[in-house]
Amino acid sequence: MFTLKKTDAYSASENLVIITKKDADLSSFPFTANELDYINKSFAEKQKLVQINQYSRQIFVQLLDTGKDHYLLKEDARQAANKLSELANKLKLAHLVLVDNLACDECMLAYAEGIALSSYQFLKYFKDKDDQANSLKEISILSKKVSDADCTELQNVSNAVFASRDLINEPLSYLTAVQLSKEIKGLGEIAGLHVEVFDKRKIEALKMGGLLAVNKGSIDPPTFTVIEWKPENAKNEKPVILVGKGVVYDSGGLSLKPTKDSMDYMKSDMSGAAGVIGAMYATAMNKLPIHVIALIPATDNRPDGNAYVPGDVVNMHNGMTVEVLNTDAEGRMLLADALSYAQKYDPELVIDMATLTGAAAVAVGKEAIVGMGKLDSDIFTQLKTAGEEVYERIVEFPLWDEYDEYIKSTIADVKNIGGRDAGAITAGKFLQRFTNYPWVHLDIAGSAFLHASSSYRGKGGIGVGVRLLHNFLKNY
Ligand code: BES
Ligand code: ZN
Ligand code: ZN
């Protein structure tokens, strides 16, 4: 557990991080003339982080840039905070006071966020987890620009990101679809969310043929979880709906994954679900005044004697038929059922999030989310802005009519793959067939799970989408 809070003062024994800008006055801080000289000399040599070892405590002086777009300054602050975290853990420090010395307006919170998010570790399966655990457990923020409420909000969002990362990092040997629904129940109880889990019989009764088809090769049943946050002061009359792909493991099914080693991390194919779950948790913990419902269709995708096969025609929840030409294009099958189910709520807006296509990852790498939308409002702009604020940026791809041709089937209403071209878009076009409301599709295949550490994002499950959706809903 990592905690962050506000403070009004620091004592002589506390480790400090003084966050400052170029040429700011440092004379009010407890430095000797020699130390001040050293700090100024280091800054002149283009160093950004200077460590003063006062033996009874450490003082770090962190220089942050000015004169860029504010969202870039915030990202610089998070990244700098990650380097500081690494150093603090190396020095076995447990607590730091972050002291504002004229940092940019939002930089103190962003810096705190960078430290908080850097604190995450997934140690559950190690015997010596205590030895491996980071020393840094707490930060206090000393800044007029940061309120208690800001600290609580950031604490809740960080915890939501951690919950999301935990779910992604859990392997299938623990996190089956049923277990995922139990985890959602548990988080819902903490946050005050209403959670209802549909079992296989209910899913059959609802004729969710896409989810059931993918589940046919599994030894475990599917689940469909409905999460609701409906505060009395909700600003919206019709709900906003979030849909997350909950494929707890994707082997590809009988169209077994062709790419070497790609199955190694397919426990992360429920990252869309994890992002949505984290966003719901943060929304409820921060009591955002908005009515939101989340839908999480979940199963693993495996080859087996009874697995669905290429060539099958599947009857979907909305009555449409789908020709399956690749069982590895499974995410769209279960998302389609969830998107049709969403129609019954007459939603104001639906956003789905999914590790849907390798094509999206190839197109933008880990740097962005591929987004597509059918909207006549400025919602996409709002989402893009949220993306910049939290640095989970969105690149918009088109949903032009021409792409409908790519997924025309000769035997059914639609087929579940396009050709080699425009793979992320044809997946989006497939989903679009199951919507009849304002809708955004976010393909997070590139940024959901990383093999090498990427600053405060860490490695493994990133929890992408939690901060994005929370920020979007907060400003909705
Ligand atoms: N889960 C994968 C997409 C994916 C790939 C996520 C890489 C994360 C990293 C998805 O179910 C899939 O297999 N998509 C296929 C679709 C194709 C068969 C049309 C793909 O992208 O190759
Ligand atoms: Zn797949
Ligand atoms: Zn998948």
Side-chain angles (χ1 to χ4, degrees):
M1 186 59 184
F2 186 86
T3 33
L4 56 110
K5 55 184 193 217
K6 197 177 145 64
T7 185
D8 307 320
Y10 55 81
S11 73
S13 63
E14 283 178 301
N15 305 304
L16 309 181
V17 187
I18 298 165
I19 299 166
T20 190
K21 66 175 181 186
K22 199 163 177 283
D23 301 327
D25 185 11
L26 292 169
S27 61
S28 63
F29 295 104
F31 294 125
T32 65
N34 264 345
E35 287 168 345
L36 273 177
D37 270 357
Y38 173 72
I39 294 164
N40 287 325
K41 211 176 103 226
S42 304
F43 284 168
E45 285 166 4
K46 305 255 183 282
Q47 242 173 277
K48 297 259 166 114
L49 179 63
V50 184
Q51 180 189 354
I52 303 291
N53 184 347
Q54 295 185 337
Y55 301 103
S56 56
R57 64 139 163 232
Q58 302 290 332
I59 306 186
F60 305 92
V61 190
Q62 174 74 63
L63 187 64
L64 291 182
D65 278 350
T66 50
K68 281 197 243 182
D69 270 351
H70 83 284
Y71 80 92
L72 294 173
L73 292 176
K74 287 203 297 187
E75 178 62 5
D76 283 354
R78 293 184 199 104
Q79 302 251 359
N82 172 258
K83 293 202 180 117
L84 185 271
S85 295
E86 283 176 5
L87 185 54
N89 282 314
K90 220 192 273 168
L91 295 165
K92 300 264 173 266
L93 307 181
H95 176 244
L96 296 170
V97 184
L98 309 187
V99 189
D100 187 358
N101 188 46
L102 302 175
C104 85
D105 276 358
E106 293 156 280
C107 283
M108 289 304 292
L109 261 185
Y111 199 89
E113 184 177 40
I115 296 182
L117 295 177
S118 298
S119 75
Y120 177 80
Q121 293 176 292
F122 187 70
L123 299 175
K124 177 178 167 188
Y125 292 103
F126 286 109
K127 194 173 179 190
D128 63 343
K129 36 181 152 316
D130 293 345
D131 299 342
Q132 290 195 49
N134 286 330
S135 61
L136 190 59
K137 303 273 187 246
E138 192 181 58
I139 51 175
S140 309
I141 306 172
L142 177 50
S143 171
K144 288 201 180 74
K145 294 168 207 146
V146 175
S147 67
D148 284 319
D150 291 332
C151 288
T152 309
E153 180 182 302
L154 177 54
Q155 177 83 63
N156 288 334
V157 173
S158 306
N159 290 348
V161 172
F162 300 159
S164 178
R165 289 178 182 176
D166 278 348
L167 291 172
I168 299 165
N169 289 328
E170 282 288 2
L172 178 65
S173 52
Y174 174 78
L175 198 80
T176 59
V178 169
Q179 187 59 36
L180 177 63
S181 67
K182 287 183 185 160
E183 302 284 329
I184 299 171
K185 275 254 177 211
L187 289 165
E189 263 162 40
I190 299 170
L193 289 159
H194 184 265
V195 177
E196 191 180 354
V197 182
F198 299 168
D199 63 7
K200 187 171 176 183
R201 278 175 60 180
K202 171 94 182 183
I203 293 166
E204 282 167 348
L206 289 168
K207 297 195 165 65
M208 292 186 169
L211 176 56
L212 289 163
V214 177
N215 181 252
K216 274 179 79 182
S218 177
I219 52 169
D220 300 314
T223 57
F224 188 98
T225 305
V226 182
I227 318 169
E228 184 165 25
W229 172 246
K230 191 178 186 185
E232 267 167 23
N233 59 348
K235 284 188 212 157
N236 51 332
E237 264 169 35
K238 303 201 284 178
V240 171
I241 297 189
L242 308 178
V243 177
K245 171 178 172 182
V247 173
V248 288
Y249 190 79
D250 185 11
S251 68
L254 281 173
S255 314
L256 203 63
K257 286 212 169 285
T259 316
K260 188 175 174 293
D261 298 338
S262 66
M263 254 184 255
D264 295 3
Y265 54 94
M266 275 303 139
K267 64 175 185 181
S268 65
D269 211 19
M270 33 58 72
S271 295
V276 165
I277 294 162
M280 291 300 285
Y281 180 85
T283 297
M285 291 297 287
N286 287 331
K287 302 204 171 359
L288 299 186
I290 174 163
H291 181 197
V292 203
I293 295 169
L295 306 177
I296 312 290
T299 177
D300 56 332
N301 180 27
R302 287 216 251 192
D304 181 71
N306 195 42
Y308 79 139
V309 303
D312 272 353
V313 175
V314 175
N315 294 303
M316 305 293 282
H317 172 67
N318 72 345
M320 271 173 65
T321 55
V322 175
E323 180 187 14
V324 176
L325 287 175
N326 191 319
T327 63
D328 198 11
E330 84 297 340
R332 63 197 74 180
M333 299 295 291
L334 40 110
L335 286 173
D337 279 344
L339 290 171
S340 340
Y341 187 77
Q343 294 182 15
K344 77 165 202 164
Y345 295 102
D346 185 22
E348 186 163 282
L349 169 69
V350 177
I351 303 175
D352 78 71
M353 194 155 71
T355 47
L356 204 61
T357 64
V362 169
V364 296
K366 67 176 166 60
E367 310 307 334
I369 294 169
V370 169
M372 286 155 241
K374 258 288 181 259
L375 302 153
D376 44 21
S377 60
D378 66 348
I379 288 290
F380 214 99
T381 313
Q382 287 180 37
L383 260 171
K384 277 186 179 163
T385 304
E388 288 183 344
E389 292 300 323
V390 304
Y391 221 65
E392 296 181 349
R393 292 165 298 178
I394 301 170
V395 177
E396 186 170 2
F397 278 22
L399 285 171
W400 295 324
D401 293 343
E402 285 78 358
Y403 295 110
D404 280 317
E405 290 297 319
Y406 294 42
I407 50 171
K408 264 205 171 134
S409 165
T410 53
I411 177 171
D413 296 328
V414 66
K415 60 180 180 178
N416 81 330
I417 54 168
R420 232 172 64 88
D421 296 346
I425 298 173
T426 50
K429 289 303 290 184
F430 179 92
L431 296 180
Q432 191 189 340
R433 299 285 293 269
F434 299 86
T435 65
N436 70 350
Y437 38 63
W439 161 72
V440 177
H441 162 55
L442 300 174
D443 193 332
I444 55 170
S447 50
F449 191 90
L450 302 182
H451 303 281
S453 191
S454 167
S455 185
Y456 63 90
R457 290 176 198 88
K459 68 173 176 202
I462 301 305
V464 73
V466 176
R467 293 161 57 242
L468 172 72
L469 291 174
H470 176 266
N471 185 290
F472 170 76
L473 293 173
K474 187 175 121 178
N475 298 307
Y476 184 75

